[in-house]
Amino acid sequence: MTPRSFKRIAVAGIVAATGLAIAAGPASANPKPSVTVPVRLISINDFHGNLEPPTGSGGAIVNESGVSVPAGGAAYMATHLKSLVNQNSAVVAAGDLIGASPLISAAYHDEPTVELLSKLGLSVSSVGNHEFDEGLTELKRIQNGGCHPTDGCSPAGEWQGAGYQYLGANVLQESNDRYALPPIAIKKINGVNVGFIGLVTQTTPTIVTASGIAGLKFSEEVESGNRAAALLRRAGVKAIVALVHEGDQITPNQSPDACPVTPGAGTRIAQGLSADVDLVIMGHSHQAYICKTTDPAGNDRFYTQGSSFGRVLTTIDFKVDKKTGEVVRSSVVADNHVVTRDVTADPVISQFVQTWKDRVSTVANKAIGNITADLTRAAGPSGETALGDVIADAQLEATKTGGNAEIALMNPGGVRADLTYAPSGSEGAGVVTYGEAFTVQPFNNLMQVVTLTGAKLDALLEQQWQNGGATTRILQPSASLTYTMSLSQPIGSRISDIKINGVPVTDTQSIRVAANNFLVGGGDGFSVFKDGTDLWSGPLDIDAFVAYLGAHSPIAPPAVNRITVAG
């Protein structure tokens, strides 16, 4: 079914299901004063399966007073959520609830996380790009139920499906332009109908492995959102909320209630969506902000985001006119609540998390190596990080035999957490467990090696600056690769002095380059990888990392000097 045909035939079904009437009756000669009812939405985004309190830099956030505080953890989130829920509220989300998850959730294909969110009353969510990590068929299994086709049922028994609905108004089947997922949902909240549109970043094909989005295409967000909004209006729904898995970056260390955004894709969508859309709830960029813009009709419109990993809950309060069904825009108030850990953890959710922790503990608690100090994602002037360098070294070591790799490159977005020297449990200071390593490298990507010429390697490194320089992704290099970047030069001419093991690279020489299959498939915009030849596939990236930690412990943070920054 195409988006247009869906609009033509689905309205009747929506009307029948909700009891809505599209045709309006004659106006009263003596209209009564407007009566409004309050509605509260409580939103989350980018939870990424963080059932346990996240650690490292991902386990803290700057609060309203400008102080960095520990935040997150499902049991603490449940306590905060209970204090915010009332009879007028609904819990909603903006995607990436699963995928790139710690082992406690990922080991069971994120069923524990989906069960948790269902228990907490989540009613509807947009899909995020990570909902497609294991493909559409797996996402539909998560939505509808049934045991995993390869791994079978989890220790909890047959999977019953999500208690909430995933939406994707711009996720289409490539073969026929039909919706791959429901584009909209209508929820009755405090006696009034509120319509929800789900949208995911149109860049999803560049940031998800090719197998995960096979057979799908992701259309532009504003056009798709406006088409869905028109469908809701035809169904008689006038209070409309867009759940959008896309967002902006911010000036760091600001209050979560501030609006220090650098306008980007998130602002573009928030400003471009039809005036029929009253609120825009965002995700993807893992930032916290409360912003206001104007819609195409000149009306004020809030757009918000609630950080990531369950560290923030966003409340949006507004009134709906019972007669017209419209949101009273002047009534909208939004607030980001930090999920602090200075409250009593919810005992039921604490036990739920502990149950899954016990189930995975044999694997998760296994010590695999040691570090002498924190290995972090804190970037030097070039964008190089100590942890990224260690991962690249591990990938090179794992692909030398068989793949004949000479250098390795790691995408920074695939490094999901820091390795901290302080113990996270009973393992002892400096001990790295399998669970901690998996949290750093959770994608189970396959290591691959391709041959590139020196000229192609140079072109690949130039792709670290994309969208006219608006997007920068510095590939983390193995110790065998050094080069100079000159940021004052135009994009396309910034890389020079490339060397492998100290020997200058020529344009015509052949180089065996190792990377994960996401990058080799052209992910993150590194399309030059697809020009590689003589493809070889090796171990999983997590296995390479674990083996390296075991063989080289204790590991000290390396100097981040493989990339030289020139003026």
Side-chain angles (χ1 to χ4, degrees):
M1 177 182 307
T2 66
R4 182 167 296 177
S5 63
F6 183 96
K7 180 184 290 187
R8 288 198 303 266
I9 69 173
V11 173
I14 293 173
V15 171
T18 61
L20 297 175
I22 295 178
S28 171
N30 298 299
K32 296 180 180 179
S34 295
V35 176
T36 61
V37 296
V39 171
R40 164 172 284 190
L41 301 180
I42 307 168
S43 69
I44 61 174
N45 59 273
D46 298 273
F47 186 65
H48 288 292
N50 277 264
L51 301 180
E52 298 182 272
T55 59
S57 60
I61 193 169
V62 173
N63 65 14
E64 292 86 344
S65 301
V67 178
S68 180
V69 297
Y76 297 108
M77 187 172 75
T79 297
H80 283 273
L81 184 61
K82 283 183 177 179
S83 72
L84 300 173
V85 167
N86 58 37
Q87 67 272 21
N88 309 323
S89 63
V91 183
V92 301
D96 273 12
L97 305 177
I98 59 176
S101 305
L103 187 65
I104 186 175
S105 183
Y108 305 106
H109 300 280
D110 280 315
E111 291 175 17
T113 292
V114 178
E115 183 179 355
L116 165 81
L117 295 172
S118 301
K119 287 178 179 290
L120 295 183
L122 180 62
S123 60
V124 63
S125 176
S126 66
V127 286
N129 53 284
H130 281 290
E131 263 79 18
F132 294 96
D133 281 349
E134 295 189 53
L136 179 63
T137 299
E138 171 63 4
L139 176 59
K140 288 186 173 181
R141 184 191 72 84
I142 288 294
Q143 177 75 82
N144 300 320
C147 294
H148 191 273
T150 301
D151 296 335
C153 295
S154 81
E158 184 171 355
W159 174 239
Q160 299 302 303
Y164 57 91
Q165 177 66 59
Y166 273 120
L167 305 177
N170 64 329
V171 185
L172 307 176
Q173 296 180 33
E174 200 169 37
S175 60
N176 55 20
D177 279 354
R178 293 180 178 178
Y179 286 112
L181 297 163
I184 60 172
I186 301 170
K187 302 292 180 181
K188 190 173 288 292
I189 308 171
N190 197 21
V192 295
N193 288 301
V194 179
F196 294 93
I197 300 166
L199 297 165
V200 61
T201 174
Q202 64 179 322
T203 68
T204 295
T206 70
I207 53 178
V208 174
T209 56
S211 60
I213 48 88
L216 300 176
K217 65 180 184 179
F218 296 79
S219 56
E220 195 273 330
E221 304 95 344
V222 171
E223 179 184 355
S224 300
N226 290 349
R227 187 166 55 239
L231 176 57
L232 286 167
R233 294 286 290 195
R234 288 186 61 192
V237 180
K238 298 178 181 179
I240 299 175
V241 178
L243 305 172
V244 184
H245 191 72
E246 180 60 280
D248 289 334
Q249 298 299 320
I250 67 169
T251 303
N253 301 318
Q254 305 292 307
S255 165
D257 295 328
C259 183
V261 301
T262 301
T267 299
R268 171 184 61 81
I269 295 167
Q271 293 175 341
L273 283 169
S274 161
D276 292 335
V277 177
D278 297 293
L279 303 166
V280 184
I281 297 172
M282 315 201 92
H284 189 51
S285 59
H286 291 205
Q287 307 298 335
Y289 51 79
I290 303 290
C291 292
K292 186 188 292 186
T293 188
T294 54
D295 65 24
N299 304 311
D300 285 342
R301 179 159 65 197
F302 276 90
Y303 62 108
T304 68
Q305 188 177 169
S307 185
S308 61
F309 305 155
R311 292 177 291 173
V312 168
L313 294 168
T314 305
T315 59
I316 306 175
D317 292 285
F318 55 92
K319 294 180 180 178
V320 176
D321 188 309
K322 287 194 70 174
K323 181 178 179 181
T324 66
E326 299 274 6
V327 171
V328 180
R329 293 280 184 99
S330 61
S331 70
V332 180
V333 177
D335 191 16
N336 272 334
H337 297 263
V338 175
V339 177
T340 59
R341 301 179 196 165
D342 58 358
V343 299
T344 301
D346 182 276
V348 174
I349 300 303
S350 291
Q351 183 55 55
F352 174 84
V353 173
Q354 186 62 50
T355 296
W356 286 104
K357 187 176 180 180
D358 291 343
R359 286 168 173 165
V360 80
S361 62
T362 302
V363 175
N365 295 336
K366 182 181 179 181
I368 58 172
N370 297 82
I371 56 177
T372 65
D374 291 350
L375 286 177
T376 75
R377 296 164 294 165
S382 67
E384 187 182 345
T385 73
L387 183 52
D389 284 357
V390 169
I391 291 172
D393 289 343
Q395 294 182 346
L396 176 60
E397 185 164 302
T399 54
K400 280 183 176 179
T401 301
N404 299 316
E406 300 169 76
I407 64 173
L409 294 166
M410 175 64 196
N411 55 307
V415 186
R416 303 301 294 190
D418 301 332
L419 280 181
T420 56
Y421 182 78
S424 59
S426 60
E427 74 274 13
V431 176
V432 180
T433 65
Y434 183 87
E436 291 169 333
F438 189 91
T439 300
V440 173
Q441 289 267 268
F443 293 108
N444 280 322
N445 284 326
L446 197 66
M447 289 308 307
Q448 295 185 318
V449 183
V450 294
T451 297
L452 295 175
T453 64
K456 288 291 186 181
L457 175 60
D458 180 272
L460 177 73
L461 295 175
E462 293 286 358
Q463 289 188 317
Q464 294 175 121
W465 298 276
Q466 300 168 14
N467 302 320
T471 302
T472 301
R473 296 186 178 98
I474 301 302
L475 296 171
Q476 305 297 293
S478 60
S480 56
L481 173 65
T482 59
Y483 63 91
T484 297
M485 65 167 59
S486 301
L487 300 179
S488 62
Q489 297 300 308
I491 296 172
S493 302
R494 291 184 169 181
I495 302 301
S496 62
D497 196 28
I498 303 174
K499 295 179 181 178
I500 296 178
N501 296 318
V503 179
V505 168
T506 67
D507 284 350
T508 57
Q509 77 179 85
S510 295
I511 303 162
R512 294 291 284 167
V513 183
N516 58 52
N517 63 298
F518 167 69
L519 277 178
V520 171
D524 271 350
F526 290 99
S527 59
V528 172
F529 261 120
K530 294 194 288 186
D531 295 333
T533 59
D534 300 321
L535 175 68
W536 176 87
S537 296
L540 295 176
D541 53 3
I542 179 61
D543 293 340
F545 190 39
V546 169
Y548 188 84
L549 287 167
H552 295 275
S553 289
I555 293 175
V560 286
N561 58 3
R562 301 172 186 183
I563 306 171
T564 300
V565 180

